[in-house]
Amino acid sequence: MPQETKKDEIRSTIIIPNYNGIKYMENCLISLAEEPARVIVVDNGSVDGSREAVEEKFPDVRLVALDKNYGFCGAVNRGIAESRKDNTTYVILLNNDTVVEPGFVRALERALDGDKRAFSGAARMVNLYRPELIDDAGDYYCALGWAFAAGKDKPASDYGRAREIFSACGGACIYRRSILTKIGLLDENHFAYLEDVDIGYRARIHGCRNLYVPEAVVRHAGSGVSGSRHNAFKVELSAKNSVYLVYKNMPLLQILLNLPFLLAGFLIKTLFFLKKGLGKSWLQGTKKGLQLCCSPQGKANKVTFSAKRLPTYARIQWELWRNLWYRIRL
């Protein structure tokens, strides 16, 4: 049975990375005013006045001002380090281009209270401008080496059932702090994109679960700071991190087992981005991903294989194959 929570008990710290997000930040923080949580904004060297706006208008929000842009991962990790002062059970990640609906924090907390094996919980993210449509209802990863959001642009009413997922989107999710201390924080080699799939993957390897929590609703602008859904910056980083994600989390035999699927996935993505006029960015990112895998910093973060976890690796492999079908259906 989930433990009872006192109405005014603070059990979570919300971490919001910000980089030139003045267009969205104020509405995001206003929506959190009645939520029972500490709030930390980590500013990545913004120059648009958003850092100053937080200081002036939201004195109850803790601001960590960084000297430059350390990426989503760097900002979140510095926020988690700062949040240790709060001694809270949970850490909640939230994009600055979001607006939360009432009850967001408690819904996420209840989900993890009710499942002690759960590492993370993903909120139901809906489109900021068309909230009847899903933006992200939990993330999946498949044998093609593709990560994808369930329900993208589909009716939100179709995604009202809680379920287990592969990983939680870092745009609006909750992490159990005690498990973070075991598996480590976000991998800053990613900078941004797929870091949430990576940490969810690591949690899975350690025998933990990731959940979708439809009662926790967030309205999300989507690519609010980086621009359109597909742009050169995002495509290059995503390509690099896609290669690194496979190398880092799969043992060699699992990579070989999935190699035909991975090569097919790479080819399809290459053709897709060539058609979009972003083929050069995709190929440059792929090259950087291979270089990262061969580098000391890439090798240092590779998940150590343990034969004791063979049953866990087998379950994950089954999901990678099963999620090929999900990619078509969801």
Side-chain angles (χ1 to χ4, degrees):
M1 292 287 291
Q3 66 185 71
E4 289 190 13
T5 302
K6 296 179 182 178
K7 185 177 180 180
D8 58 349
E9 185 180 359
I10 303 298
R11 305 180 62 224
S12 297
T13 301
I14 299 173
I15 297 169
I16 306 173
N18 176 61
Y19 179 65
N20 292 339
I22 195 165
K23 179 179 178 181
Y24 301 99
M25 179 59 75
E26 186 169 349
N27 286 336
C28 177
L29 292 176
I30 289 172
S31 74
L32 292 170
E34 301 301 320
E35 293 295 308
R38 312 283 184 214
V39 180
I40 299 174
V41 170
V42 184
D43 185 79
N44 260 329
S46 295
V47 294
D48 66 340
S50 52
R51 175 181 60 80
E52 292 82 359
V54 172
E55 285 182 305
E56 293 170 9
K57 298 181 180 180
F58 301 93
D60 292 334
V61 171
R62 215 142 83 235
L63 178 68
V64 177
L66 305 180
D67 60 331
K68 63 179 182 179
N69 187 356
Y70 290 89
F72 182 86
C73 301
V76 167
N77 286 350
R78 286 156 180 78
I80 292 174
E82 173 68 22
S83 76
R84 293 189 185 114
K85 299 175 184 177
D86 300 333
N87 197 31
T88 44
T89 303
Y90 301 119
V91 171
I92 293 175
L93 308 190
L94 192 64
N95 277 6
N96 60 359
D97 59 343
T98 59
V99 173
V100 309
E101 296 196 357
F104 163 76
V105 168
R106 289 299 190 222
L108 290 174
E109 290 174 346
R110 284 194 300 271
L112 266 63
D113 286 345
D115 188 341
K116 297 306 179 184
R117 286 182 55 211
F119 162 62
S120 73
R124 173 160 46 169
M125 300 179 75
V126 299
N127 188 293
L128 178 65
Y129 308 106
R130 298 188 62 191
E132 72 277 9
L133 298 180
I134 283 287
D135 184 68
D136 190 303
D139 289 348
Y140 291 90
Y141 187 64
C142 71
L144 293 170
W146 297 355
F148 56 95
K152 186 74 174 179
D153 297 327
K154 294 186 178 180
S157 57
D158 292 347
Y159 291 86
R161 181 178 61 84
R163 65 185 186 283
E164 187 172 359
I165 55 177
F166 192 87
S167 61
C169 174
C173 69
I174 187 169
Y175 292 153
R176 193 185 301 273
R177 190 186 296 275
S178 61
I179 295 178
L180 278 174
T181 62
K182 295 178 182 178
I183 68 173
L185 305 183
L186 298 183
D187 184 344
E188 295 188 30
N189 284 328
H190 286 98
F191 189 82
Y193 304 117
L194 295 178
E195 74 292 321
D196 45 8
V197 178
D198 170 63
I199 200 169
Y201 201 147
R202 277 187 276 143
R204 296 295 310 280
I205 291 172
H206 283 77
C208 301
R209 287 157 46 89
N210 301 304
L211 309 175
Y212 169 57
V213 187
E215 296 83 8
V217 181
V218 172
R219 300 187 182 196
H220 182 220
S223 301
V225 174
S226 64
S228 62
R229 186 177 296 186
H230 300 302
N231 58 70
F233 170 78
K234 182 174 182 178
V235 167
E236 184 172 322
L237 270 179
S238 297
K240 173 182 75 74
N241 294 341
S242 293
V243 174
Y244 180 52
L245 183 66
V246 171
Y247 162 79
K248 179 179 176 180
N249 292 288
M250 290 188 189
L252 178 59
L253 287 177
Q254 191 175 22
I255 293 175
L256 294 175
L257 178 64
N258 288 297
L259 193 57
F261 297 99
L262 294 170
L263 291 174
F266 169 77
L267 178 60
I268 294 168
K269 287 278 190 177
T270 301
L271 295 174
F272 175 81
F273 286 117
L274 282 170
K275 186 177 180 180
K276 291 279 186 181
L278 293 166
K280 183 178 179 181
S281 298
W282 175 259
L283 292 172
Q284 285 178 337
T286 301
K287 180 182 178 181
K288 290 181 179 181
L290 292 170
Q291 291 171 336
L292 176 58
C293 295
C294 297
S295 69
Q297 64 266 35
K299 292 179 179 179
N301 286 328
K302 184 170 174 63
V303 176
T304 303
F305 173 75
S306 171
K308 294 179 181 179
R309 297 195 180 115
L310 274 174
T312 301
Y313 279 108
R315 284 194 294 272
I316 291 173
Q317 183 57 49
W318 163 245
E319 288 188 33
L320 297 182
W321 285 331
R322 182 198 64 186
N323 290 347
L324 292 169
W325 166 244
Y326 278 11
R327 180 64 184 87
I328 299 171
R329 187 171 64 89
L330 289 176

